[in-house]
Amino acid sequence: MSFLLDSCLMFFSQVLFFAGGWVFFLKQLFKDYEVHHSVVLLVFSITFALSCTMFELIIFEILGFLESSSRYFHWKLGLYAFLFVLVAILPFYIGYFIIGNLRFAPQKRHIRVLMTTGAWLAFLYFFWKIGDPFPILSPKHGIFSIEQCIGRIGVIGVTLMAVLSGFGAVNYPYTSMFYFIRAVTETDVQNIEKRLMQTMDMILMKKKRIALARQERLKQATINKSQGGLWGMISKVTSGSGSSENMSMLKQETEAYEELAKQLFLESVDLHNAQERIAYSKTFKGKYFNFLGYFFSIYCVWKILISTINIIFDRVGKVDPVTRGIEIAVNYIGIQFDVKFWSQQISFLLIGIIIVTSIRGLLITLTRFFYAIASSKSSNVIVLCLAQLMGMYFVSSVLLIRMNMPQEYRSIITEVLGDLQFNFYHRWFDVIFLVSALSSIGFLYIAHKQAPEKNGY
Amino acid sequence: MAANIDKVKIVVVGDSGVGKTSLVHLICHQAPTTNPPYTIGCSVEVKLHDYKAGTPGEKTFFVELWDIGGSTSHQNSRSIFYNSVHGIMLVHDLSNRKSHQNLRKWLGEVINRGSTKDNANGGDYDQELFAGIQIPIMVVGCKADQAQNLREKSPSGRSSVAEECGADEFNLDCNQVKHISPGSTNAVKLTKFFDKAIERRYQGRESCSQGHITPTMERKRFFKTSHVD
């Protein structure tokens, strides 16, 4: 009986998450595009709902909500559904829409489906191959077990997480701290705009000359046609070659000016963005984020150090931060409190915060990414790829979140996901995080140095 | 000789990827263009247009078509292109209804010359503003061939944006030269639009220099819309 009740509750919350994903898709991602294939909307919302279900089950685990057996059942159910979507449905539809966009592919329905099936089998092959160089599993697992799938998804997802974290940890202080804002004055902006409009005027002048020359040539051609004969041919050759030389030179000059206009416009965009940042830094929100930025930069430096130490000394953390914090509080500072109760509350808070911020952060990043690269032709493919990345990201965050939970709550994750080599994933995360953070620092440094030189005349 | 011919400036605006560059190329060169890259900033084309063709008052003008790139990240720098505009062409994608709804935003951006404080207006203010616009407007729908595949019939009746501004509109497929060949309905509408823009520009100046103030210009000043030469 309680199982039925629990299932109803789970189903209700899944419907809620599904609706949330639906609304996010329509209002945020696709706000400039029309939905022609509702299957895209459906698959995206399903992926989002399944991800949130997994996080919800973790929270329920900590709080001891619902029956333990029904939790386990829903874990398994959600996980199988999720894997089916990530490995079968999403790649199939991505292939289908890509093939639909290709110009040389025939547009008949069944041919497209056949080609998509072929592409999907190729995808499966590469998906399998990814797992080989990594020590993901202990040898006691068979070939077609679920741990194989999760292991490979975990590798891809952890790489993605580490790259995003590394870049985000470096980029956030850079964008929010005043120290890095370039000084841009109103005269700089006006200078660039003046130069831009002068270039546009030059382009216009040249294009007008080309248009007039073309009109002249047409007139000459009609006159020559009516004259005919030898005289007509000679005059056509002489006048034609003269004006055509002019034309090609004019066209070349016009192209050069058009390139210049593009560069000037892009510089103008940069300057306007810098101006907006300066204006933002004078507001309360800007000052608040600047303050946070200092804390974040300290956190970022600490994280880089810890990752380096972990890799060099091959250290593996066994104890989660909550338990360690409580240990320190009890043993060194001497505060006495009910360990079991507080451990539950604090880990609930910590895990809850981690989950919420990672969902929010990922959705914001996906939105920004989508706006930057989507067009009306590729919007379907890109949104499905983003759904795939989102699914892999959330599976891996469940994997990694295990480290932040006290021992008694880890068991369910270990049971459900199978006995993966979790330590490997943490090590892999550290390595990729380090690489990503250091290369981001490098790129931002170069970009920061280049910008004032461009505007320094 | 180019300096002797008068000109009018027409801006072509719309969402990114609706077909503005293809449209402008079709109008000016009478030939379709294949897969143009995304426009960064603004690209201009000119067309020699015979004002009042076939009548004794015929005169040649240069029509400058300013094809403005529509990506949202460049919005803060676009306002420089909207100075002294004599005509507006609003372009939308027939296979994407949202690009049509965004036309109001584009119109607002051009009229307010991109000033940020006017972006948060409610719908009511926009309606009044649009009804009082004196600059000639033309609404063009592109990618008619793709829209035909997606819907059983092409959208009938005038679109709401065209109605609100009292603008004329037409739809076409930018890959077909015959849609804009001289004598076709679309070409006639386009010619009328260019003529209206030229009239507005040069006769408005004449009436201004005579010191004659029309009621519409009074209302324009009250609403503080953009200054038209």
Side-chain angles (χ1 to χ4, degrees), chain A residues 130-143:
Chain A
I130 282 187
D132 286 344
F134 297 111
I136 302 178
L137 312 165
S138 29
K140 58 184 191 281
H141 288 125
I143 292 279

mmCIF file of all heavy atoms in Angstrom, chain A residues 130-143:
data_model
loop_
_atom_site.group_PDB
_atom_site.id
_atom_site.type_symbol
_atom_site.label_atom_id
_atom_site.label_comp_id
_atom_site.label_asym_id
_atom_site.label_seq_id
_atom_site.Cartn_x
_atom_site.Cartn_y
_atom_site.Cartn_z
ATOM 1 N N ILE A 130 35.140 4.391 -26.334
ATOM 2 C CA ILE A 130 35.600 5.402 -25.378
ATOM 3 C C ILE A 130 35.988 4.762 -24.065
ATOM 4 O O ILE A 130 36.938 5.179 -23.408
ATOM 5 C CB ILE A 130 34.483 6.447 -25.126
ATOM 6 C CG1 ILE A 130 34.406 7.423 -26.278
ATOM 7 C CG2 ILE A 130 34.736 7.198 -23.861
ATOM 8 C CD1 ILE A 130 33.473 8.557 -26.031
ATOM 9 N N GLY A 131 35.271 3.727 -23.676
ATOM 10 C CA GLY A 131 35.509 3.170 -22.349
ATOM 11 C C GLY A 131 36.784 2.383 -22.219
ATOM 12 O O GLY A 131 37.254 2.135 -21.111
ATOM 13 N N ASP A 132 37.380 1.989 -23.362
ATOM 14 C CA ASP A 132 38.506 1.057 -23.276
ATOM 15 C C ASP A 132 39.736 1.593 -22.564
ATOM 16 O O ASP A 132 40.291 0.897 -21.726
ATOM 17 C CB ASP A 132 38.893 0.586 -24.686
ATOM 18 C CG ASP A 132 37.874 -0.406 -25.215
ATOM 19 O OD1 ASP A 132 37.091 -0.917 -24.394
ATOM 20 O OD2 ASP A 132 37.856 -0.652 -26.420
ATOM 21 N N PRO A 133 40.204 2.817 -22.884
ATOM 22 C CA PRO A 133 41.445 3.220 -22.222
ATOM 23 C C PRO A 133 41.303 3.560 -20.739
ATOM 24 O O PRO A 133 42.290 3.827 -20.078
ATOM 25 C CB PRO A 133 41.882 4.469 -23.006
ATOM 26 C CG PRO A 133 40.654 4.970 -23.630
ATOM 27 C CD PRO A 133 39.767 3.790 -23.873
ATOM 28 N N PHE A 134 40.094 3.560 -20.212
ATOM 29 C CA PHE A 134 39.941 3.991 -18.819
ATOM 30 C C PHE A 134 39.673 2.805 -17.900
ATOM 31 O O PHE A 134 38.906 1.927 -18.248
ATOM 32 C CB PHE A 134 38.762 4.967 -18.684
ATOM 33 C CG PHE A 134 38.971 6.230 -19.450
ATOM 34 C CD1 PHE A 134 38.212 6.513 -20.561
ATOM 35 C CD2 PHE A 134 39.936 7.134 -19.047
ATOM 36 C CE1 PHE A 134 38.406 7.674 -21.255
ATOM 37 C CE2 PHE A 134 40.129 8.292 -19.744
ATOM 38 C CZ PHE A 134 39.363 8.567 -20.853
ATOM 39 N N PRO A 135 40.253 2.806 -16.719
ATOM 40 C CA PRO A 135 39.985 1.720 -15.751
ATOM 41 C C PRO A 135 38.680 1.968 -15.013
ATOM 42 O O PRO A 135 38.668 2.309 -13.840
ATOM 43 C CB PRO A 135 41.183 1.813 -14.801
ATOM 44 C CG PRO A 135 41.571 3.255 -14.839
ATOM 45 C CD PRO A 135 41.265 3.754 -16.206
ATOM 46 N N ILE A 136 37.585 1.838 -15.758
ATOM 47 C CA ILE A 136 36.312 2.224 -15.158
ATOM 48 C C ILE A 136 35.780 1.157 -14.213
ATOM 49 O O ILE A 136 35.251 1.432 -13.155
ATOM 50 C CB ILE A 136 35.259 2.457 -16.263
ATOM 51 C CG1 ILE A 136 35.736 3.515 -17.228
ATOM 52 C CG2 ILE A 136 33.958 2.901 -15.651
ATOM 53 C CD1 ILE A 136 34.788 3.736 -18.339
ATOM 54 N N LEU A 137 35.884 -0.085 -14.656
ATOM 55 C CA LEU A 137 35.148 -1.116 -13.926
ATOM 56 C C LEU A 137 36.077 -2.125 -13.291
ATOM 57 O O LEU A 137 37.175 -2.351 -13.755
ATOM 58 C CB LEU A 137 34.228 -1.863 -14.902
ATOM 59 C CG LEU A 137 33.395 -0.975 -15.802
ATOM 60 C CD1 LEU A 137 32.846 -1.800 -16.933
ATOM 61 C CD2 LEU A 137 32.274 -0.343 -15.019
ATOM 62 N N SER A 138 35.588 -2.740 -12.240
ATOM 63 C CA SER A 138 36.312 -3.893 -11.718
ATOM 64 C C SER A 138 36.007 -5.076 -12.623
ATOM 65 O O SER A 138 34.952 -5.142 -13.234
ATOM 66 C CB SER A 138 35.874 -4.171 -10.290
ATOM 67 O OG SER A 138 34.549 -3.766 -10.078
ATOM 68 N N PRO A 139 36.927 -6.009 -12.745
ATOM 69 C CA PRO A 139 36.824 -7.051 -13.766
ATOM 70 C C PRO A 139 35.648 -7.997 -13.596
ATOM 71 O O PRO A 139 35.360 -8.776 -14.491
ATOM 72 C CB PRO A 139 38.157 -7.813 -13.646
ATOM 73 C CG PRO A 139 38.722 -7.404 -12.346
ATOM 74 C CD PRO A 139 38.199 -6.075 -12.024
ATOM 75 N N LYS A 140 34.939 -7.915 -12.469
ATOM 76 C CA LYS A 140 33.914 -8.933 -12.299
ATOM 77 C C LYS A 140 32.624 -8.615 -13.047
ATOM 78 O O LYS A 140 31.644 -9.325 -12.938
ATOM 79 C CB LYS A 140 33.610 -9.154 -10.817
ATOM 80 C CG LYS A 140 33.149 -7.909 -10.079
ATOM 81 C CD LYS A 140 32.978 -8.282 -8.606
ATOM 82 C CE LYS A 140 32.293 -7.226 -7.805
ATOM 83 N NZ LYS A 140 32.981 -6.096 -7.369
ATOM 84 N N HIS A 141 32.595 -7.538 -13.826
ATOM 85 C CA HIS A 141 31.372 -7.223 -14.547
ATOM 86 C C HIS A 141 31.370 -7.837 -15.928
ATOM 87 O O HIS A 141 32.395 -7.971 -16.566
ATOM 88 C CB HIS A 141 31.213 -5.703 -14.695
ATOM 89 C CG HIS A 141 30.852 -5.058 -13.407
ATOM 90 N ND1 HIS A 141 31.583 -4.041 -12.871
ATOM 91 C CD2 HIS A 141 29.855 -5.299 -12.534
ATOM 92 C CE1 HIS A 141 31.048 -3.670 -11.733
ATOM 93 N NE2 HIS A 141 29.990 -4.414 -11.510
ATOM 94 N N GLY A 142 30.205 -8.193 -16.412
ATOM 95 C CA GLY A 142 30.073 -8.769 -17.740
ATOM 96 C C GLY A 142 30.102 -7.698 -18.817
ATOM 97 O O GLY A 142 30.294 -6.525 -18.546
ATOM 98 N N ILE A 143 29.910 -8.152 -20.054
ATOM 99 C CA ILE A 143 29.986 -7.209 -21.173
ATOM 100 C C ILE A 143 28.749 -6.321 -21.229
ATOM 101 O O ILE A 143 28.835 -5.125 -21.408
ATOM 102 C CB ILE A 143 30.118 -7.969 -22.511
ATOM 103 C CG1 ILE A 143 31.477 -8.661 -22.602
ATOM 104 C CG2 ILE A 143 29.949 -7.021 -23.659
ATOM 105 C CD1 ILE A 143 32.585 -7.753 -23.017
#
